[in-house]
Amino acid sequence: MHPILKLVSQRLALGLLLLLAASALIFVGTQILPGDVAQSILGQSATPEALANLRKDLGLNEPALSRYFSWLGGAIQGDLGTALTNGQDIATSMGKRLGNTLFLAFWAAVVSVPLAIFLGLVAVRYKDRWPDKMISAVTLTSISIPEFLIGYVLMYFVGVKLGWAPSVAMINDSMSLGQKLHAIALPVTVLTLVVLAHMMRMTRAAILNVMQSAYIETAELKGLSSFQVISRHAFPNAIAPIVNVVMLNLAYLVVGVVVVEVVFVYPGMGQYLVDHVAKRDVPVVQACGLVFAAVYILLNMVADIVSILANPRLRHPK
Amino acid sequence: MQDQLDYLAKRASAGKLSRRDFMGKASALGVSAAAASTMFATAAKAASHKKGGDLKIGSTGGESTNSLDPATYASQVPYHNGRQFGDTLVEVSATGDIEGRLATSVESTPDAKTWMFKLRQGVEFHNGKTMTGEDVMKTMERHSNEDSKSGALGVMKNIESMKVEGDTFSVTLKNANADLPYLMADYHLIIQPNGGMDNPAEGVGTGPYKMEVDEPGVRHMYSKFANYWGDDGHFDSVEILAINDATARTAALQSGQVHLINRLEPKIAGLLSRAPGVSVQSTPGRGHYVFIMHTNTAPFDSKELRLALKYAINREEMVEKILRGYGSVGNDMPINAAYPLFDSSIPQRMYDVDKAKEHYAKSGHDGSPIILRTADGAFPGAVEAAQLFQQSAQAAGIPLEIKREPNDGYWSEVWNKQPFCASYWGGRPVQDQMYSTAYLSSADWNDTKFNNPEFDAKLLAAKAELDLTKRKALYSEMGNIVRDEGGLICPMFNDFIDGVSDKLVGWETDPNGELMNGQVTRKLSFA
């Protein structure tokens, strides 16, 4: 078997085991939380009778272990079940939210990844001169400010005062792509500012590291321009750590944007998950957890494989 | 006759009938000149509303877990959803009277035990079916039967039997209740086809707007229902957006993305009222913020200690600092002037350090810190309010220790379980319902564990008392009992604070609920 194929299949199997462990952890977590779904649905207006009726209807009187295994049995067959709180099909309603989250993450990545790498290259080219210092200062400042604050500031100046982009980033099926992009302009900006510094600094550090190698000196001596040296010789050798940090940030764009979603009222997965955790709607929390865990595991796997492919020594092990 | 009058009013509001003609035809039906004149004015007002436009509301309290099933409504977005597609039998008007909706009139037997609702005829559901008495009966059954998990179950418990005869739906009660029509105005009791027994969450009702899009926690979209029975509801479409973040909600109103928002924070309401293009509507209501003590648990089982704490809270300061003036002081009873039959002669309890010291000394408390539990979610500003309380009590030598609890799980683990905590009540349309819900010794939500036989007896007597003067006297005595004996510390009644775009006209003050008791989409229109 080709070593790469072998590696991928090993990683996939490990990923599945991790998913199983994650689902068990999430289930235990939701059981430890105080109150149950019946109590949360009825809230302050819960009477003991209504509670008992609801618990019976939702099957909460079954022991926890058998509830977990009946959920697991369904999930393995691709049936995520229905939400306890409003009876909607989880796969359908979550699919829509996941689509929205991926849409936002995709456009944020389209803007931020090339921008970060480009800025990283520029910073290396003008190392320790004013462009390098300015890029570092601006991106480090933007990563240090909490994202909700950047969100509110943009909302006030760009959304309310200038009126360039809507302050509420609600998208729905009846909108055209252009309208959708206009609607998500502000959250994409915020996300870009948040992830930019990490990727930019990593690009800069990785390339600077490579720049000290002997073959770079050779390239310089044979008369290549400094940008050519960086993009042709330094960048390909620095790709592994850069891909790693890019993947981590992509994972953040998918699973870590709850705050940005709440601030801009964006109908994504984050808000969907928080609502259901608050209501102790275990099947939905499980499903969301699985999706998030899968995204994380998958992106990390991609990062590993790319760094192996990018390195001839790892590609042809002796 | 009612049908003919409705017809005339409709023609008048459509501009097809002059005032003179309307008055003539109405008096021919036996209506007095004064009444006919009022009717014409109402109809003409409806005519002056501009029709059309797409209304957008930004509301807090919308979660992905929401359902359109009226039995499950517990937060604001579902409440407003129900107001769009559904109708109740009767509604409480802004002045506190009972107004017919799907019932045209209400009568009772003299003992207030049997109530007859005359049902409106020719009302069409959004699925094309005509509403029948059977639909009404099934709806009430679904909210009151053994399997019910309805938020209205508490108000339905007293019903012994129900029946439908022709166009009359009648309810017989176990115990007399002179306020039954107010209970039937509960927003959960939306009449659904076959009572919603088949598919409670389908969002089909008789309301002015028909459900088009249902995305829980995101948006709900409605379009005007062509065969709606009433003449209100002037918009082409209504969209309710779930915007839970207060800053985002305010920004959406200011940038014109929505026309109405609810639950403005008091601290930004003052600033927003100076912004162009929008206005802030503050409505005194019946909701109140409270600190509740379990009267059966030490040390709160001592009446002296309860009184000491009641004298040790500075109500004016709370209204000024927590509500920023958008509210009024409470008087340690759950009733204020927004309720019918309120006795305004009951003296206001003030912050009094000397009396607090005196009662504290009499209580013989050992001086150990008294634990007060609070959370941001108990009511807006609950943590700050507890700190103010701690300071004012400190001045009287009463040590309070604040224990901050997480919002998550507060209503299941702290409220109604711990002996002293912060909480809120939304208020009820009438005094009887408020007292029966939370102060009757056998009530499920008796969150002060109040057990006073004299109070219980008076409450039962007041229920059956149709003489308003006598009832008012009974309520006054009950208010005094709760105020002096009860476990309730009520520092303030909060206003409903809504934000309204200047593009809308027709705003009226309605103390029954936020956004004009949810009637904004029916009564407002674009200018």
Side-chain angles (χ1 to χ4, degrees):
Chain A
M1 196 191 235
H2 195 276
I4 298 284
L5 272 180
K6 194 175 159 204
L7 180 95
V8 170
S9 46
Q10 269 174 353
R11 286 301 172 92
L12 274 177
L14 198 65
L16 286 177
L17 260 180
L18 274 175
L19 281 184
L20 191 67
S23 78
L25 271 181
I26 297 165
F27 187 79
V28 171
T30 51
Q31 297 304 307
I32 293 172
L33 287 173
D36 68 358
V37 58
Q39 181 88 52
S40 309
I41 291 174
L42 295 170
Q44 201 194 1
S45 61
T47 61
E49 274 170 286
L51 266 180
N53 286 337
L54 194 55
R55 287 207 175 107
K56 196 177 77 197
D57 276 14
L58 297 176
L60 294 180
N61 297 331
E62 301 272 310
L65 215 59
S66 76
R67 268 182 290 142
Y68 174 69
F69 281 110
S70 72
W71 171 82
L72 192 66
I76 288 171
Q77 295 163 38
D79 173 20
L80 292 172
T82 53
L84 297 180
T85 40
N86 58 4
Q88 292 202 344
D89 182 58
I90 295 175
T92 321
S93 51
M94 191 176 67
K96 216 168 183 178
R97 295 301 194 96
L98 181 63
N100 287 345
T101 290
L102 293 179
F103 181 76
L104 180 63
F106 173 77
W107 286 105
V110 163
V111 175
S112 62
V113 173
L115 188 64
I117 292 175
F118 173 72
L119 288 177
L121 295 179
V122 171
V124 172
R125 169 69 181 80
Y126 300 101
K127 179 170 171 275
D128 291 338
R129 308 232 308 268
W130 69 265
D132 178 26
K133 289 193 174 143
M134 200 182 73
I135 290 170
S136 285
V138 170
T139 53
L140 286 177
T141 310
S142 74
I143 202 179
S144 311
I145 306 174
E147 59 234 64
F148 69 87
L149 185 65
I150 306 182
Y152 285 147
V153 170
L154 284 181
M155 197 188 268
Y156 182 71
F157 287 105
V158 183
V160 175
K161 288 285 152 190
L162 298 172
W164 289 351
S167 62
V168 171
M170 278 199 168
I171 62 168
N172 57 60
D173 295 341
S174 57
M175 293 165 97
S176 68
L177 181 65
Q179 285 172 322
K180 282 186 181 174
L181 289 180
H182 184 234
I184 63 168
L186 288 183
V188 163
T189 312
V190 172
L191 288 175
T192 303
L193 288 172
V194 170
V195 298
L196 203 56
H198 195 191
M199 291 190 284
M200 189 288 282
R201 297 286 297 180
M202 200 59 174
T203 310
R204 182 179 177 278
I207 294 181
L208 280 180
N209 194 23
V210 175
M211 291 294 271
Q212 272 137 32
S213 320
Y215 59 86
I216 296 294
E217 210 174 339
T218 316
E220 273 168 5
L221 288 174
K222 73 182 181 192
L224 292 181
S225 78
S226 55
F227 220 87
Q228 273 179 315
V229 173
I230 294 172
S231 59
R232 299 270 292 278
H233 295 277
F235 187 68
N237 286 300
I239 200 110
I242 295 176
V243 167
N244 253 318
V245 73
V246 166
M247 287 303 156
L248 270 183
N249 278 291
L250 287 187
Y252 166 81
L253 286 179
V254 178
V255 307
V257 296
V258 180
V259 177
V260 175
E261 284 184 4
V262 171
V263 166
F264 289 103
V265 202
Y266 187 77
M269 283 279 278
Q271 185 64 59
Y272 182 71
L273 174 63
V274 169
D275 284 350
H276 286 89
V277 171
K279 288 282 189 289
R280 312 280 184 267
D281 196 334
V282 181
V284 181
V285 177
Q286 292 271 40
C288 289
L290 271 193
V291 169
F292 282 156
V295 167
Y296 220 87
I297 292 170
L298 207 69
L299 287 174
N300 273 300
M301 203 161 75
V302 170
D304 283 356
I305 294 169
V306 169
S307 57
I308 289 170
L309 289 178
N311 189 333
R313 273 168 296 188
L314 293 175
R315 208 159 54 208
H316 307 289
K318 287 202 177 122
Chain B
M1 182 193 104
Q2 186 64 40
D3 293 345
Q4 280 164 297
L5 266 177
D6 280 351
Y7 172 74
L8 288 180
K10 262 199 169 154
R11 283 186 54 92
S13 70
K16 287 177 184 149
L17 207 59
S18 72
R19 181 185 152 85
R20 191 191 174 92
D21 286 348
F22 180 80
M23 296 285 283
K25 289 190 167 149
S27 55
L29 287 168
V31 177
S32 74
S37 178
T38 321
M39 284 175 67
F40 184 79
T42 318
K45 204 168 142 201
S48 73
H49 280 291
K50 198 178 128 189
K51 305 277 173 193
D54 302 312
L55 182 75
K56 290 187 178 191
I57 302 176
S59 171
T60 186
E63 295 109 21
S64 341
T65 48
N66 293 152
S67 160
L68 284 180
D69 176 0
T72 65
Y73 294 172
S75 54
Q76 290 83 2
V77 168
Y79 164 79
H80 289 297
N81 276 329
R83 292 297 201 206
Q84 310 316 317
F85 75 79
D87 281 306
T88 46
L89 283 181
V90 289
E91 193 55 70
V92 184
S93 75
T95 48
D97 302 317
I98 284 294
E99 252 177 20
R101 292 207 75 94
L102 293 182
T104 49
S105 67
V106 189
E107 281 169 33
S108 86
T109 52
D111 62 358
K113 273 189 110 166
T114 303
W115 288 83
M116 283 80 71
F117 295 83
K118 195 156 192 293
L119 300 178
R120 194 177 292 277
Q121 296 302 299
V123 175
E124 192 181 316
F125 283 116
H126 299 162
N127 63 6
K129 288 191 186 129
T130 303
M131 184 192 80
T132 64
E134 195 64 18
D135 295 318
V136 176
M137 174 109 159
K138 280 273 169 48
T139 299
M140 299 307 166
E141 273 176 15
R142 191 170 80 86
H143 286 274
S144 59
N145 67 17
E146 299 179 337
D147 295 330
S148 171
K149 21 192 200 262
S150 169
L153 185 57
V155 306
M156 304 294 285
K157 263 199 248 170
N158 188 24
I159 292 178
E160 189 175 80
S161 65
M162 300 181 278
K163 67 170 191 277
V164 175
E165 274 171 335
D167 59 356
T168 305
F169 167 65
S170 48
V171 173
T172 306
L173 303 174
K174 290 175 199 151
N175 298 306
N177 190 343
D179 281 334
L180 182 88
Y182 288 91
L183 303 185
M184 300 307 262
D186 187 294
Y187 65 89
H188 296 97
L189 300 178
I190 288 172
I191 308 301
Q192 293 176 284
N194 196 25
M197 297 276 193
D198 310 323
N199 182 4
E202 65 183 341
V204 170
T206 58
Y209 300 100
K210 185 170 184 274
M211 195 267 285
E212 297 286 345
V213 178
D214 173 34
E215 291 178 31
V218 183
R219 62 181 197 127
H220 303 270
M221 169 104 178
Y222 298 88
S223 65
K224 175 81 199 207
F225 178 52
N227 296 341
Y228 173 53
W229 58 269
D231 53 10
D232 50 1
H234 310 296
F235 302 100
D236 288 337
S237 78
V238 170
E239 191 171 1
I240 301 169
L241 306 176
I243 309 180
N244 296 321
D245 186 82
T247 315
R249 211 158 55 241
T250 317
L253 177 70
Q254 281 186 281
S255 63
Q257 283 185 280
V258 298
H259 304 106
L260 288 163
I261 58 173
N262 58 3
R263 296 278 166 121
L264 267 173
E265 288 182 343
K267 61 183 172 223
I268 46 176
L271 299 171
L272 188 69
S273 62
R274 295 200 291 271
V278 297
S279 63
V280 171
Q281 295 290 351
S282 176
T283 310
R286 302 176 185 121
H288 44 291
Y289 297 161
V290 298
F291 296 103
I292 41 178
M293 305 174 278
H294 284 182
T295 54
N296 62 356
T297 312
F300 310 104
D301 53 353
S302 149
K303 183 190 165 190
E304 294 298 329
L305 184 82
R306 295 200 297 270
L307 276 175
L309 287 168
K310 286 175 184 176
Y311 279 113
I313 193 165
N314 190 339
R315 295 172 183 77
E316 276 85 9
E317 188 186 29
M318 295 253 180
V319 170
E320 189 188 313
K321 291 189 176 155
I322 305 294
L323 297 177
R324 312 271 169 150
Y326 289 101
S328 52
V329 291
N331 197 16
D332 298 339
M333 50 190 219
I335 304 302
N336 67 353
Y339 281 91
L341 305 180
F342 171 69
D343 178 6
S344 55
S345 67
I346 299 176
Q348 171 67 43
R349 180 167 286 140
M350 308 295 280
Y351 176 45
D352 191 327
V353 176
D354 295 331
K355 278 195 179 150
K357 276 184 181 158
E358 188 188 317
H359 287 290
Y360 185 62
K362 269 195 218 162
S363 77
H365 186 66
D366 59 6
S368 60
I370 297 167
I371 294 174
L372 170 60
R373 286 167 207 270
T374 183
D376 282 322
F379 59 79
V383 175
E384 292 82 358
Q387 283 160 350
L388 289 176
F389 191 9
Q390 185 184 35
Q391 280 162 22
S392 61
Q394 192 65 47
I398 305 174
L400 282 188
E401 183 184 325
I402 297 174
K403 191 146 186 254
R404 195 168 169 173
E405 302 279 351
N407 284 343
D408 193 275
Y410 190 79
W411 301 114
S412 55
E413 300 301 308
V414 178
W415 175 75
N416 220 354
K417 294 229 165 85
Q418 296 294 342
F420 191 24
C421 72
S423 175
Y424 76 95
W425 274 99
R428 295 291 183 272
V430 283
Q431 299 198 30
D432 170 68
Q433 203 185 345
M434 189 64 233
Y435 283 132
S436 311
T437 309
Y439 297 90
L440 186 67
S441 59
S442 59
D444 289 325
W445 304 331
N446 180 0
D447 58 6
T448 52
K449 312 291 173 219
F450 189 52
N451 189 348
N452 187 310
E454 190 194 348
F455 175 88
D456 287 3
K458 284 192 197 303
L459 182 55
L460 289 180
K463 273 180 196 289
E465 184 58 71
L466 289 174
D467 180 336
L468 291 185
T469 322
K470 286 185 190 157
R471 220 153 119 215
K472 184 172 172 180
L474 281 169
Y475 283 149
S476 170
E477 288 161 27
M478 284 154 56
N480 269 311
I481 295 177
V482 171
R483 177 178 176 272
D484 297 334
E485 310 272 336
L488 171 75
I489 303 173
C490 175
M492 52 196 151
F493 282 81
N494 57 304
D495 287 359
F496 299 108
I497 318 176
D498 303 312
V500 186
S501 159
D502 288 349
K503 289 181 187 145
L504 292 169
V505 291
W507 186 274
E508 293 165 15
T509 298
D510 189 328
N512 292 303
E514 61 175 33
L515 293 174
M516 291 169 62
N517 195 23
Q519 307 290 325
V520 278
T521 58
R522 295 173 189 241
K523 293 186 177 167
L524 298 186
S525 65
F526 282 111

